[in-house]
Amino acid sequence: MRNLLFLNRKSEQATKTSRDNIFGDSDAIRGLSNLYSPEGEVDVRRDIADELFDSGKINTSGLEKVRQVQREKPGTDAALIVKQLHLANDVDILAARAALYGYKFVALHAEDVDRNAYLKLDKAYIKSNRIMPVKFTDDGKGIVLATSEPGNVYVIEEAKKLAGLNVEIIVCKDEDIDAVSKIVEASVLDYNVDEIMSDMDEDVELIQDDTNENEDLEQMAGESPVIKFVNYLISNALHEGASDIHIEPKDKYSRIRYRIDGVLFETMQAPLKMHSAVTSRLKIMSNLDISERRLPQDGKIAVIVGGRSLDLRVSTLPVTQGEKIVIRILDKRNIMHGLDTSGMEPDTRSMFEKQITLPHGIILVTGPTGSGKSTTLYSALNQMDGDRLNISTVEDPVEYELGFCNQVQTKESIGLSFSASLRSLLRQDPDIIMIGEIRDSETARIAVQAALTGHLVLSTLHTNDAPSSITRLINIGVDPYLIAASLNAVLAQRLVRKICENCKEPFQAPDSLRRQLGCSDLDYSQLYHGKGCDKCRNSGYQGRTGVYELLVMDDRFRKIINADASASNLQKAFAERGGRSLFGDGLAKIRKGVTTIEEILRVTQAGEIDMGDDVSEKEQTAQPANQD
């Protein structure tokens, strides 16, 4: 059987070579010629099974199985048979299809795409026909087109006519075309601030915007220079992965900064005369008073960017040069990843997941603003059975709207405070209550009362570590015996930046940093850092993960709380029990090569980080800003 297959391939190759000489080098024609066999010749038509066999993706037995099915069901597509028999995955099948048509299969990335070439075809055409211009050929007379459908010769010929150039075809995954298109589309949009300003009159007339607040920003891009610029700031921030946009008036310009992975980066400087128009546009979008410039205001915008629904929280603040605007971007997809992707060590996550299954008690999540407390609480709620349980939240503000629970937005101006909301909520037969933050003694006492009467209460508190939360509750005004009876666990957390995988390399820590770390059991020869690249904006970091400190209450801690609940006593007991501190959890991530010593010291210890003479230029130019 194997010899017969080999002879068939030799005969087929000779036929293929002959056809190539006849039809020339046209990729589209050569692709069709591979599927054509003149009458009277031995049937040597190749299919995907042949290509997979030649590339070693399937063996002789697999090939025979495909042929057996084809004999039993004539006309059945070989690719479908291969997939049904689980002989190869979708990528291997697509690569084989590319080879069958004489094309090269590639993994396509945004940096491979020439923006000028990309503009040769319309965005809608690219999306609907799964074909995308990548770059011009070396001689400049042709263009390289990437497609996920190499068999669609009609689209290839049509794209050739639309581009007005000869074409070379490469094949890539469907997902690559979608992902690269989004990135390239964001970069090819021409938002020249000077050109926008040249189109504006000296006096900007503000007209009430009666468009739907959910209208897609990308479709609104051409309506006016100011709208175009504001929409660009928002859509570009989303593409860059920013959590906040800062628009700050200075003496001679308006500074635009994005907070990415917890750190502020300056992205551009706009003319100062544009600042008031941008501020007014954002106030109109968030239903704020555009005439009020003396007092701070807060608003909300619901938008759709590139098909993604977002909530924007807008905050204005009068400063000496005008009004500063901060826009917080709230994307629900960022909070629904689950606890398994939070960065918790397996033992910590297991203990925390056990705590959120308890029928009653209080679970606190502590840390500074911007440390991911809300994300942890939402992830915990998401693991609960929303159909069987009555889950309710009291928040200020409601940052993310969740379909599986009932959310209450507090409003102090009409008397709807945390405590008032909680009192009413307890009459709504709740099982799980999430309180946005315990801020005062009344809220704390109601939370304790709810926990003692059979409800599970989750909330946040602002303390530096887990043991200090108990001292904080006592300072608020909760009696120690009530804390001992109601508190189940406290989770302290911080967010640290992860090393960029694209530029990750081994790192030798300087002596000054080793002395500051003061850790003798860390292997300093196995450390890593990011040297800086375009993907991480030369910072050496991309993305964030959490470091955690979990205190689970037991009889010993309850006795300490009732006897002497000082912070030092509680911290000592936590250490003696073998609890892993925030710093200790950070060391575990350093050992795994997830983050760096500098990053752990930045979020867990006060004071400047002494890098000695080894401080890199990227850390001098992109110093971490304070968490908002």
Side-chain angles (χ1 to χ4, degrees), residues 26 36 46 81 103 137 179 257 319 347 351 477 490 523 546 566 584:
S26 169
Y36 170 74
R46 291 176 64 80
I81 299 171
Y103 302 142
T137 56
R257 294 194 291 172
V319 294
D347 57 339
M351 288 189 291
V490 182
D523 186 354
S566 64

Side-chain angles (χ1 to χ4, degrees), residues 134-203:
V134 176
K135 61 182 178 180
F136 295 107
T137 56
D138 294 338
D139 59 10
K141 298 179 180 179
I143 193 168
V144 178
L145 299 177
T147 180
S148 59
E149 300 175 357
N152 197 339
V153 293
Y154 301 104
V155 167
I156 292 173
E157 288 299 319
E158 185 180 28
K160 178 180 177 180
K161 292 178 182 179
L162 291 174
L165 296 167
N166 295 323
V167 298
E168 293 182 8
I169 301 298
I170 59 176
V171 180
C172 67
K173 294 185 296 182
D174 211 38
E175 296 87 344
D176 287 355
I177 291 179
D178 287 333
V180 171
S181 293
K182 287 181 181 179
I183 296 172
V184 177
E185 276 294 330
S187 64
V188 299
L189 295 174
D190 182 12
Y191 288 100
N192 187 297
V193 176
D194 292 333
E195 289 184 7
I196 292 175
M197 288 307 301
S198 67
D199 293 335
M200 293 177 61
D201 295 329
E202 191 66 23
D203 296 323

Side-chain angles (χ1 to χ4, degrees), residues 47-48 66 69-70 73-84 93 97 100:
D47 61 16
I48 283 176
V66 175
V69 175
Q70 288 180 320
K73 300 178 181 179
T76 306
D77 181 41
L80 180 62
I81 299 171
V82 169
K83 193 170 183 179
Q84 290 176 341
I93 292 172
R97 194 182 298 278
L100 185 66

